[in-house]
């Protein structure tokens, strides 16, 4: 009975379309219109500028801790571009560009980081879950949504995100497994930025790539250049098409590097090498994408100026709107804390609400209830 | 308009930051988001951008200083409307204030009454100024509710339940009695023999204190007819215990005399209207109070206590006279303090007040304490005399029977005079019969010749 | 009207709910072809097929987490955790997400799902198969917790739980699955959540319990009446969250005495909560301290000694007597 070889019939592809020198592989170039390309660039840049501006707001004490997304724009932008409105988008928390594309506003984001639940309320008509902080836990929701699509016979797909750190979580395994077993139309987009706060990739896994894990679950896996928005789009697009056709889930690993701090409360100088960061910073997605667009004649100085002005206005308006909104009763009144836990407030909770109202000297207000759909952002 | 920039929490729960460098100078014009300084927290080194455009009026911090979150870092002038974001620095500051203010004001509002309450309790401007103690008395919540419904301070009620717990029955009989705590009383049984309610449960085993020995076995009374056994409860039990204490500790002697109150009664009739206008009722008892104090001043041994432990007689230089008041529940003895300092009108008013309150069960506890001598007047009921029992640990008690017109011999002539029998029981360890006779005679004289009292003031 | 045991009654409710609402799906370990290790999902797979009755991989977080996703997508998942002793594997999904989606999104997304699990001891099972941890869920804001005590209310409560717009933990006292039978009406009954039931009117003392402990409570009540002449008032809580304290308080205000009986460890338990709320509300009516007769603050012992841990009628009776003679 000699030892034999079991051949596992799967390979991991690596995909790069637009490299860091902004050279494009014409054969692989995805079919995106000039409009779409410009839209992608605008939203990626908006996410970038917002990120920078949010950092200042945090330093000024106007918003709280938040995770920066600079350098990660290509991943959620490319992935969300592959979705239709009827598909579902289940983010982790570094997907600002993608969320803006899906219909979330900067006001939502600002309110969330300023400590208001309203920022987590999905915009009307958008099939999204809000940002999820407990690592990998939302992957199961995405799997469940995918399973439900199958049960109902809906030909939609779900895109969800995870970091490299998330691959260590049990929920990640369970989500991959459930999705694979039930052939759920889910695309798991891994934002492999090689750092989970201060813990490097080598402490998260003993294997070489995240993508190869897909083999064990019986789903396709692919690694793409995470700073190449075209490659991300192409890979996710392919995966989404397969999912809709009943081909089940895919794992798309997007390799990048976290060139900013984990959150505003973090200082990467403690654990990252300056040179490595600089090296990766040169490869960040916007530089090459801008050059690509200029080469294609989509972008020039004048267009850039227009985009810059548009972004500046959007951000400025969003901040002003946040300042305005947090003063409204809807956001400022602590009594509304109680009103959304259950569909109907149970008596014991009403009592506690009354207790707080009494403490605040707002006894009269206690019986009032917020309208059930209190989405903060306007669209 | 100048605005201030305070150090925000830069991480999650950061409280302070070291100033590494300051990147602007006083007088410098700056733009919103222009770096102001670099600071280092426990978590990270960060650059702080300006929230406003304007002029740096003042830099409040120095390089190397450790600044606390909430400290003013910079003052800007001319800041405001021009700011790119539309958010002026005032807002930045206002936000900080907003955070603190409602909290503070709400807290103060909540805390204030509580504080007042905690101060007022010991100082005692409440209904019951002096509590028996600050520690709670044992009672179930349901019993407390009953006490509360009757407006009674439960601490005034004696408990007859396990480990001294106050029972519902205790509250009920307390209320029925209209009185207060079962104070040691010199008297025997009141009208109603026992305080226990009909629905009372089994009584605690009660060991009666007896004269050196075990409780005596009783014959089986039921052999001779139907009997009912009623437990000694609450105030009745307390009276029994107090009487036993008085009886067993004080060697009693009683001295009898009579007081001719004919003239006094006439004087009372003459002045009662005046006293009534002042809100009191002029009675023999009021006059007796004055007479007693006059007597006690002369014979202080009757205003004392014997300290058995030290072998000393404790003379009291104040005259607090207890008056036995019969209530439904048993005998209660409220005390008029410092009788010597009060006018007849004042005493009349106070006596009326305490008697009423005692009957209604509203008497304050401190007015049941601190007596130095007790008087008891059964005159309203009748009788020709009695042997009162000393209100332990006092030294003496004066009892008065009904004042009635009697034929008496005055200057060899039989006259009809109003005569009141009086009896003084006293602690023979402290005083002797002769002193008692002098004392009682003096009191009787004061009643017969009220002028005596006027002389003494 | 048919007589059936509790396992059958729960099964009936599942069947009825799936039949009348195509959004209702059942998932869990061995719930399909095997029809559940306690046979509670009997006949469902055969009737409703693979899509709506899903045997899942062996992963509790996966079962609950995907149920959350399904619920958000518009289904009404009823997932089964094979034993309550294993639902901690999914606790983070319930606490961090099921209980919070509505609140987090200010009412935009909700999670109408039911997690069923057989709970409690008394069936001589292995370690981890006898726990009663309803207190843990009751302590988790945003969840509802329901525990039936017999076939009829089990069916009526499960219907309510499935129809509820919020996540419901439905604990099935496994000791009762086949302990006794009850008449269950043919037409569907729905018993609103958050309503306790006065099972017996009485005087002098109120016994408050739920789930499997209702048996010991009823037995103790009978002994109390027979031996001591005291007919206690008895309340079956049925819903742990929301807790119907109005019914409980009304009764205790009348009787002045209360004993709360439950199988879970005492510390921070449902019994403690009931006791505490009685203090808040009817303090001035209490003739005696509120007693808790519960499991102890140890893990439930291996089954050789579980009977000393689970409150029995004698223990309840002793507490009643001590409370009455306080």
């Amino acid at each position: 009975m000699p030892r034999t070889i079991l051949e596992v019939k799967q390979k991991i592809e690596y995909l790069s379309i637009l490299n860091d020198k902004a050279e494009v592989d014409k054969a692989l170039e995805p079919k995106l219109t000039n409009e779409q390309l410009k839209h992608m660039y605008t939203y990626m840049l908006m996410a970038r500028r917002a990120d920078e501006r949010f950092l200042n707001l945090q330093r000024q004490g106007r918003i709280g801790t938040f995770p920066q997304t600079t350098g990660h724009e290509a991943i959620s932008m490319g992935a969300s571009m592959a979705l239709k409105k009827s598909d579902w988008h289940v983010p982790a928390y570094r997907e600002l560009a993608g969320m803006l594309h899906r219909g979330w506003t900067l006001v939502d984001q600002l309110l969330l980081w300023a400590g208001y639940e309203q920022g987590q309320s999905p915009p009307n008509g958008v099939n999204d879950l809000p940002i999820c902080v407990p690592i990998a836990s939302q992957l199961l929701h995405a799997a469940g949504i995918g399973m439900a699509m199958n049960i109902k016979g809906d030909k939609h797909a779900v895109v969800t995100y995870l970091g490299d750190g998330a691959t260590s979580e049990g929920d990640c395994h369970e989500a991959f497994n459930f999705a694979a077993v039930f052939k759920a139309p889910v695309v798991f987009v891994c934002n492999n930025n090689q750092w989970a706060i201060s813990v490097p990739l080598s402490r998260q896994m003993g294997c070489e790539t995240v993508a190869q894990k897909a083999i064990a679950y019986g789903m396709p896996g692919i690694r793409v250049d995470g700073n190449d928005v075209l490659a991300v789009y192409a890979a996710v697009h392919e995966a989404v098409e397969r999912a809709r056709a009943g081909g089940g889930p895919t794992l798309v690993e997007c390799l990048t590097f976290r060139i900013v701090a984990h959150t505003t409360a973090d200082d990467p100088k403690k654990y990252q090498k300056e040179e490595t960061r600089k090296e990766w910073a040169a490869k960040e997605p916007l530089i090459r994408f801008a050059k690509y667009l200029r080469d294609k004649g989509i972008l020039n100085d004048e267009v850039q100026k227009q985009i810059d002005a548009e972004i500046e206005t959007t951000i400025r308006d969003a901040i002003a709107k946040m300042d305005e909104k947090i003063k409204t009763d809807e956001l400022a009144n602590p009594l509304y804390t109680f009103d959304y836990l259950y569909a109907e407030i149970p008596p014991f909770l009403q009592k506690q609400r009354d207790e707080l109202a009494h403490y605040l000297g707002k006894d009269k207000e206690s019986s009032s209830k917020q309208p059930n759909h209190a989405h903060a952002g306007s669209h | 308009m100048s605005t201030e920039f305070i150090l925000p929490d830069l991480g999650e729960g950061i409280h302070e930051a070291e100033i590494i460098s300051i990147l602007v100078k006083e007088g410098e014009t700056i733009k919103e988001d222009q770096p102001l300084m670099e600071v280092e927290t426990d978590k990270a080194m960060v650059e702080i951008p300006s929230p406003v455009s304007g002029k740096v009026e003042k830099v409040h911090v120095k390089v190397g200083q450790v600044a606390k979150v909430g400290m003013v870092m910079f003052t800007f002038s001319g800041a405001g409307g021009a700011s790119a974001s539309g958010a002026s620095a005032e807002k930045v500051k206002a936000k900080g204030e907003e955070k603190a203010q409602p909290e503070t004001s709400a807290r103060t509002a909540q805390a204030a009454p509580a504080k007042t309450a905690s101060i007022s309790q010991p100082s005692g401007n409440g209904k019951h100024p002096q509590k028996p103690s600050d520690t709670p008395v044992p009672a179930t919540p349901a019993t407390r509710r009953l006490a509360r419904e009757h407006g009674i301070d439960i601490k005034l009620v004696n408990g007859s339940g396990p480990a001294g717990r106050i029972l519902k029955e205790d509250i009920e009989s307390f209320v029925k009695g209209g009185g207060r705590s079962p104070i040691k009383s010199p008297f025997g049984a009141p009208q109603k023999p026992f305080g226990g309610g009909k629905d009372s449960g089994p009584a605690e085993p009660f060991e009666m204190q007896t004269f050196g020995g075990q409780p005596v076995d009783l014959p089986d009374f039921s052999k001779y007819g139907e009997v009912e056994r009623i437990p000694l409860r609450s105030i009745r039990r307390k009276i029994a215990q107090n009487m036993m204490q008085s009886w067993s500790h004080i060697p009693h002697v009683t001295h009898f005399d009579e007081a001719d109150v004919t003239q006094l009664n006439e004087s009372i009739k003459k002045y009662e209207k005046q006293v009534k206008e002042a809100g009191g009722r002029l009675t023999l008892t009021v006059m007796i109070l004055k007479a007693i104090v006059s007597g006690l001043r002369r014979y202080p041994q009757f205003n004392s206590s014997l300290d058995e432990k030290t072998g000393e007689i404790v003379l009291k230089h104040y005259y607090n006279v207890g008056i036995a008041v019969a209530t439904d529940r048993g005998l209660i003895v409220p005390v008029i303090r410092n009788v010597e300092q009060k006018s007849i009108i004042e005493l009349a008013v106070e006596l009326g007040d305490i008697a009423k309150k005692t009957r209604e069960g509203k008497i304050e506890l401190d007015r049941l304490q601190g007596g130095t001598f007790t008087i008891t007047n059964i005159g309203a009921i009748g009788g020709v005399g009695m042997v009162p029992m000393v209100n332990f640990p006092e030294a003496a008690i004066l009892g008065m029977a009904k004042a009635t017109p009697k034929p008496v011999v005055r200057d060899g002539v039989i006259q009809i005079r109003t005569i009141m029998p009086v009896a003084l029981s006293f602690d023979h360890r402290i005083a002797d019969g002769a002193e008692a006779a002098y004392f009682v005679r003096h009191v009787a004289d004061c009643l017969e010749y009220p002028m005596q009292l006027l002389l003494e003031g | 009207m048919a007589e059936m045991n509790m396992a059958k009654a729960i099964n009936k409710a599942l069947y009825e709910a799936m039949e009348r609402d195509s959004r209702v799906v059942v998932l869990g370990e061995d719930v399909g072809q095997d029809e559940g290790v306690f046979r509670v999902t009997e006949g469902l797979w055969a009737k409703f097929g693979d899509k709506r009755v899903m045997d899942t991989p062996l992963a509790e977080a996966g079962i609950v987490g995907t149920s959350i996703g399904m619920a958000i997508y518009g289904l009404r998942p009823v997932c089964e955790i094979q034993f309550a002793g294993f639902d901690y594997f999914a606790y983070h999904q319930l606490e961090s997400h099921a209980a919070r989606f509505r609140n987090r999104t200010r009412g935009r997304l909700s999670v109408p799902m039911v997690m069923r699990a057989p709970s409690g001891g008394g069936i001589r099972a292995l370690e981890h198969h006898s726990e009663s941890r309803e207190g843990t869920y009751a302590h988790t804001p945003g969840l509802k917790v329901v525990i039936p005590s017999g076939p009829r209310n089990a069916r009526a409560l499960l219907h309510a739980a499935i129809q509820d717009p919020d996540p419901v933990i439905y604990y099935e006292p496994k000791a009762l699955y086949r302990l006794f039978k009850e008449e269950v009406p043919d037409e569907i009954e729905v018993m609103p959540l958050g309503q306790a039931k006065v099972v017996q009117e009485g005087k002098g003392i109120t016994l408050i319990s739920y789930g499997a402990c209702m048996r010991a409570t009823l037995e103790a009540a009978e002994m109390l009446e027979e031996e001591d002449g005291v007919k206690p008032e008895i309340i079956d809580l049925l819903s742990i969250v929301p807790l119907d304290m109005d019914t409980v308080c009304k009764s205790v205000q009348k009787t002045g005495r209360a004993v709360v009986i439950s199988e879970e460890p005492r510390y921070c338990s449902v019994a403690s909560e009931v006791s505490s709320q009685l203090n808040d509300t009817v303090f001035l009516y209490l003739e005696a301290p509120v007693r808790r007769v519960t499991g102890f603050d140890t893990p439930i012992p291996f089954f050789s000694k579980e009977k000393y841990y689970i409150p029995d009628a004698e223990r309840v009776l002793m507490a009643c007597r001590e409370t009455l003679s306080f």
Side-chain angles (χ1 to χ4, degrees):
Chain A
M1 228 69 76
R3 289 192 182 195
T4 55
I5 301 295
L6 282 178
E7 281 211 46
V8 178
K9 292 182 216 104
Q10 208 159 351
K11 287 188 184 119
I12 296 299
E13 273 187 316
Y14 176 75
L15 179 66
S16 161
I17 299 173
L18 180 69
N19 71 12
D20 55 349
K21 294 173 190 73
E23 295 156 348
V24 67
D25 184 331
K26 286 279 175 198
L28 293 173
E29 202 178 356
K31 289 183 189 73
L32 286 161
T33 64
N34 287 359
E35 272 310 298
Q36 283 176 313
L37 289 168
K38 187 182 162 194
H39 171 87
M40 287 161 76
Y41 177 70
T42 307
Y43 274 70
M44 287 166 73
L45 193 59
M46 177 136 37
R48 175 73 58 89
R49 294 285 167 261
D51 210 41
E52 292 160 0
R53 194 58 191 278
F54 287 6
L55 183 63
N56 284 352
L57 296 178
Q58 192 275 336
R59 298 295 190 238
Q60 292 159 359
R62 292 158 77 182
I63 62 171
T65 300
F66 78 95
Q68 289 155 268
T69 66
T70 291
H72 296 85
E73 296 90 346
I75 298 168
S76 64
M77 192 69 237
S80 63
M81 273 306 278
L83 291 180
K84 293 178 186 163
K85 213 166 165 50
S86 52
D87 294 323
W88 282 62
H89 192 246
V90 181
Y93 52 74
R94 256 186 251 281
E95 287 81 28
L96 181 56
M99 287 179 75
L100 292 172
H101 166 66
R102 290 287 294 175
W104 295 76
T105 67
L106 287 175
V107 185
D108 296 323
Q109 290 297 292
L110 280 165
L111 288 175
L112 169 59
W113 306 136
Y116 297 89
E117 285 89 347
Q118 279 79 0
Q120 286 278 68
S121 184
N124 289 319
V126 174
N127 289 330
D128 284 19
L129 299 199
I131 278 171
C132 177
V133 175
I135 304 299
S137 59
Q138 89 287 8
L139 301 176
L140 280 165
H141 311 155
I145 291 169
M147 288 162 71
M149 287 169 174
N150 281 350
I151 292 165
K152 290 179 92 170
D154 294 340
K155 298 283 173 218
H156 306 316
V158 190
V159 158
T160 188
Y161 301 85
L162 60 142
D164 44 301
T167 62
S168 302
E169 290 277 7
D171 278 14
C172 179
H173 160 67
E174 295 187 29
F176 285 0
N177 196 39
F178 269 65
V181 165
F182 288 98
K183 291 230 171 294
V186 183
V187 183
F188 296 100
V189 178
C190 177
N191 166 357
N192 179 1
N193 65 18
Q194 308 183 50
W195 291 95
I197 306 188
S198 68
V199 180
L201 188 60
S202 58
R203 273 296 163 97
Q204 301 296 346
M205 55 194 218
C207 57
E208 215 173 321
T209 66
V210 172
Q212 75 194 71
K213 290 172 185 274
I215 297 172
Y217 292 96
M219 61 175 158
I222 184 170
R223 174 183 264 194
V224 303
D225 180 349
N227 290 341
D228 175 359
V229 70
L230 299 182
V232 175
Y233 170 79
V236 175
H237 186 259
E238 191 179 292
V240 164
E241 290 296 308
R242 179 168 49 240
R244 285 203 191 99
T250 304
L251 173 57
V252 179
E253 174 189 9
C254 305
L255 186 68
T256 183
F257 190 91
R258 208 189 69 219
I259 55 173
V260 287
H262 161 65
T263 65
T264 50
D266 173 45
D267 185 359
K269 286 190 214 87
K270 282 187 80 174
Y271 51 82
Q272 268 182 4
K273 279 198 189 118
E274 187 78 27
E275 314 89 74
T276 325
R277 191 168 52 244
K278 276 186 179 155
E279 220 172 89
W280 277 94
K283 293 192 249 183
E284 62 92 357
L286 274 163
I287 304 173
R288 68 176 84 170
F289 194 42
K291 188 154 187 306
Y292 168 74
L293 295 181
R294 279 175 189 268
D295 292 348
K296 279 184 89 83
I298 298 169
L299 188 67
N300 55 36
D301 287 353
E302 201 181 316
V303 176
Q304 181 67 54
K305 226 172 148 186
Q306 272 173 16
I307 293 174
D308 286 342
E310 191 190 317
I311 288 172
E312 177 58 31
T313 310
T314 308
I315 294 175
R316 189 200 308 150
D317 290 352
I319 295 169
K321 193 146 197 186
M322 166 190 74
D323 284 336
E324 191 185 303
K325 272 199 173 281
I326 60 180
K327 282 190 217 122
T328 59
D329 181 62
E330 184 193 333
L331 272 79
N333 195 334
L335 294 181
Y336 298 142
T337 305
F338 298 91
D339 294 357
Y340 298 97
L341 193 57
Y342 298 97
E344 231 176 278
I345 188 165
F348 75 93
L349 214 51
Q350 181 65 44
K351 259 191 202 165
Q352 294 178 16
R353 193 186 197 274
D354 295 344
E355 193 180 308
L356 180 63
H358 179 66
Y359 170 72
L360 296 170
K362 291 183 168 197
D363 304 55
K364 278 182 208 148
E365 285 179 44
S366 196
S367 55
S368 73
K369 190 177 151 101
Q370 273 282 87
N372 212 28
H373 293 281
H375 182 246
S378 65
H379 304 278
Chain B
M1 177 176 48
S2 60
T3 47
E4 290 171 340
F5 177 68
I6 58 165
L7 183 67
D9 175 1
L10 295 159
E12 290 154 319
I14 291 291
H15 294 285
E16 56 183 27
E18 187 182 340
I19 315 294
I20 301 300
S21 65
I22 294 173
L23 307 169
V24 293
K25 287 197 288 285
E26 288 182 3
E28 188 178 331
T29 304
I30 52 151
K31 281 198 174 139
E32 186 185 3
D33 288 343
Q34 180 180 331
L36 294 172
M37 60 180 175
E38 283 181 308
V39 302
E40 185 165 17
T41 69
D42 293 346
K43 283 185 150 181
M45 171 110 102
V46 298
E47 199 178 74
I48 308 270
S50 172
V52 292
S53 300
K55 198 168 162 190
V56 181
E57 199 173 84
K58 186 152 179 58
V59 178
H60 296 273
V61 285
K62 288 194 200 99
V63 170
Q65 185 182 342
V66 175
K68 301 266 182 224
V69 168
M71 248 175 80
V72 177
M73 305 276 104
F74 302 94
T75 306
F76 305 107
S77 63
S83 142
S85 70
S88 76
E90 295 160 273
K91 282 181 186 166
V92 177
K93 198 193 168 195
K95 199 176 166 188
E97 283 171 354
E98 254 170 23
K99 241 183 183 173
Q101 260 180 356
E103 248 176 79
T104 323
S105 57
R107 290 244 168 84
T108 329
Q110 286 285 80
K115 205 175 175 187
T116 317
S118 73
I119 290 168
S120 73
Q121 228 164 17
S123 80
N125 55 5
K127 200 173 164 194
H128 303 295
Q130 275 181 339
K131 303 282 180 205
S133 90
D134 279 341
T135 53
V137 292
T140 64
T143 307
R144 289 176 200 281
R145 175 175 54 91
L146 193 64
R148 198 181 279 191
E149 280 169 6
H150 285 293
I152 290 167
D153 180 347
I154 197 161
K155 287 179 178 170
L156 300 179
V157 181
N158 281 312
S160 62
R165 193 195 303 165
I166 297 160
L167 305 177
K168 275 189 177 172
E169 293 81 358
D170 297 332
I171 302 283
E172 277 157 8
S173 34
F174 188 90
V175 170
K176 270 185 216 151
R180 289 280 126 181
S181 211
I183 292 297
K184 310 115 197 168
S185 163
F187 276 87
Q191 281 178 327
K192 282 183 189 167
F194 297 109
K198 56 183 182 304
D199 53 350
S200 41
E204 271 294 286
F206 171 51
E207 231 168 82
M208 179 60 97
Q209 196 187 351
T210 56
F211 262 141
Q214 296 297 313
V216 181
D217 286 330
L218 290 177
D220 180 6
F221 299 116
S222 63
K223 277 200 294 200
Y224 312 107
E226 196 184 320
V227 297
E228 188 185 354
R229 295 184 84 93
I230 299 167
L232 276 186
R233 283 192 174 281
S234 196
I235 190 169
R236 193 66 254 149
R237 171 186 295 193
K238 200 74 187 165
I239 290 172
Q241 281 166 342
N242 288 343
M243 289 308 104
M244 205 60 233
Q245 194 175 26
S246 176
W247 189 249
S248 59
H249 280 262
I250 298 177
H252 278 71
V253 172
T254 307
H255 174 83
F256 299 95
D257 204 336
E258 288 180 334
D260 181 345
V261 294
T262 315
Q263 202 184 328
L264 187 62
N265 266 349
E266 275 160 25
S267 302
I268 287 173
K269 270 181 201 138
K270 204 165 166 186
Y271 292 102
E272 69 191 351
K273 202 181 162 205
Q274 196 182 328
V275 176
K276 201 177 171 185
E277 278 164 11
R281 200 162 79 88
L282 192 55
T283 59
L284 264 178
T285 312
V286 176
M287 301 310 295
I288 289 165
L289 284 171
K290 271 289 176 200
I292 293 280
V293 170
S294 173
L296 292 175
R297 277 188 166 143
R298 286 190 185 203
Y299 304 96
Q301 58 270 48
F302 296 106
N303 198 47
S304 73
S305 292
L306 180 70
D307 189 333
E308 293 177 344
K309 288 206 168 148
T310 63
E312 291 167 321
I313 291 171
V314 185
L315 293 177
K316 295 151 199 169
H317 297 308
Y318 50 89
Y319 303 92
N320 298 347
V321 181
I323 296 112
V325 177
T327 72
D328 291 350
R329 185 153 190 262
L331 218 94
I332 294 181
V333 187
V335 174
I336 295 186
R337 296 197 178 206
N338 301 108
V339 175
E340 77 280 10
Q341 294 170 17
K342 290 171 181 166
S343 72
I344 287 170
I345 290 185
E346 282 170 340
L347 290 173
V349 172
E350 188 172 343
L351 184 65
D353 180 52
I354 59 164
K356 183 166 176 277
K357 277 191 171 163
T358 303
R359 287 194 191 96
E360 289 171 357
K362 289 177 183 161
I363 190 76
E364 300 87 344
L365 185 77
D366 70 329
R367 295 176 83 178
L368 292 172
Q369 295 168 334
T372 59
F373 185 92
T374 297
I375 61 172
T376 174
N377 189 348
I378 59 154
I381 301 168
V384 295
M386 88 294 276
V387 178
M389 201 183 299
V390 175
N391 190 4
F392 184 88
E394 293 167 12
I397 179 167
L398 187 76
M400 290 146 284
K402 194 177 176 68
T404 47
K406 274 188 182 167
V408 294
V409 178
R410 287 277 186 270
D411 301 324
V413 183
I414 295 176
Q415 298 182 356
I416 305 292
R417 306 290 292 184
T418 306
I419 300 298
M420 179 173 75
V422 291
L424 180 83
S425 288
F426 64 96
D427 188 339
H428 205 343
R429 296 173 303 177
I430 297 172
D432 297 328
E435 292 158 329
Y438 283 126
F439 171 71
V440 176
R441 195 58 247 155
H442 178 80
V443 171
D445 281 346
C446 288
L447 298 176
E448 280 166 27
Y449 311 105
M451 190 63 191
Q452 178 76 30
L453 298 173
L454 292 176
L455 292 174
E456 288 177 16
Chain C
M1 196 70 106
E3 204 171 62
M4 62 184 73
N5 64 32
M6 197 177 85
K8 186 68 208 157
I10 295 170
N11 174 256
K12 187 173 164 64
L14 287 170
Y15 191 96
E16 289 162 346
M18 292 189 81
E19 207 171 33
R20 60 194 241 166
D21 186 348
S22 64
R23 297 173 302 168
V24 178
V25 295
V26 165
L27 65 155
E29 295 156 16
D30 308 297
V31 298
Q33 225 168 339
D34 190 41
E35 305 183 313
V37 294
F38 288 101
R39 304 290 177 264
V40 172
T41 53
E42 205 167 52
L44 301 181
W45 182 78
K47 164 82 180 172
F48 300 102
D50 233 0
K51 271 198 172 170
R52 292 183 63 199
V53 183
M54 290 166 270
D55 273 326
T56 64
L58 204 164
E60 287 77 14
I63 293 166
V64 173
T66 55
S67 294
I68 292 170
M70 291 183 207
I72 289 174
Y73 193 74
L75 298 181
R76 295 266 168 163
V78 182
C79 67
E80 176 180 306
I81 300 298
Q82 203 156 71
F83 284 91
F86 303 125
D87 59 23
Y88 326 124
F89 288 74
Y91 180 71
H92 65 288
Q93 283 292 343
L94 291 162
E95 147 70 49
S96 307
H97 297 301
R100 294 179 185 224
F101 257 108
R102 184 188 295 281
N103 186 59
R104 175 188 295 153
T105 63
R106 301 278 91 183
R108 280 273 291 127
L109 301 175
S110 58
V111 184
M113 64 171 280
V114 178
M115 184 189 91
R116 295 177 38 241
S119 76
I123 62 154
R124 299 171 59 79
L126 280 177
E127 192 189 2
H128 307 116
H129 291 69
S130 302
E131 286 68 19
S132 300
R133 290 292 152 76
E134 53 271 20
T136 305
Y137 293 103
H139 192 70
T140 305
L143 298 177
K144 292 183 180 178
V145 183
V146 179
I147 305 180
S149 61
R152 189 167 173 176
N153 62 39
R155 174 187 176 229
L157 285 170
L158 185 53
H159 273 300
I162 293 171
Q163 288 170 20
D164 199 89
D166 289 304
V168 180
I169 307 300
Y170 183 89
Y171 264 178
E172 299 163 8
K174 62 174 97 69
L176 303 183
Y177 271 147
R178 293 178 166 77
L179 187 72
F180 63 101
K181 288 184 177 181
E182 229 173 45
E183 291 284 336
V184 174
D186 296 331
E187 71 279 7
I188 291 177
E189 283 185 313
V190 181
M191 187 180 270
L193 305 187
Q195 282 187 17
K197 195 179 168 194
V198 178
V199 177
Q200 172 178 304
E201 294 208 4
K203 266 187 183 168
I205 188 166
T206 304
L207 310 187
I208 303 142
S209 188
Y210 58 90
C213 281
M214 280 307 294
R215 306 315 299 168
T217 302
L218 290 166
E219 204 185 317
E222 230 169 82
M223 287 151 79
L224 195 65
E225 190 176 354
E226 216 164 88
E227 295 169 25
D228 301 34
V230 177
K231 187 181 179 189
E233 189 135 314
I234 304 171
I235 294 176
D236 185 348
L237 290 174
L238 298 165
S239 281
I240 305 304
V241 181
L243 195 56
D244 181 7
M245 281 309 290
D246 280 355
T247 298
V248 175
C249 289
K250 209 179 280 173
S251 170
V252 178
Q253 186 167 333
K254 187 179 83 179
T255 62
R257 292 177 168 88
V259 176
V260 195
I261 305 105
S262 83
E263 194 175 317
E264 46 169 5
R266 186 171 303 164
Y267 207 95
C268 294
S269 62
V270 174
S272 299
E273 182 59 28
V274 170
S275 162
S276 171
Q277 290 202 38
L278 280 170
N279 267 334
D280 290 345
T281 315
V282 295
F283 179 76
L284 286 174
Y285 295 86
L286 294 177
E287 302 282 7
V290 178
R291 277 289 290 265
R292 290 166 293 166
V293 182
T294 63
F296 303 110
D297 290 319
T298 68
I300 183 165
F302 289 18
F303 72 75
S304 71
K305 288 175 199 69
E306 67 177 341
K307 67 173 177 175
Y308 302 109
Y309 183 94
I310 302 167
D312 60 8
E314 288 291 344
R315 190 133 75 90
V316 176
L317 187 64
M318 194 169 89
C320 290
R321 285 181 174 151
E322 284 168 8
T323 301
L324 282 164
S325 65
F326 178 80

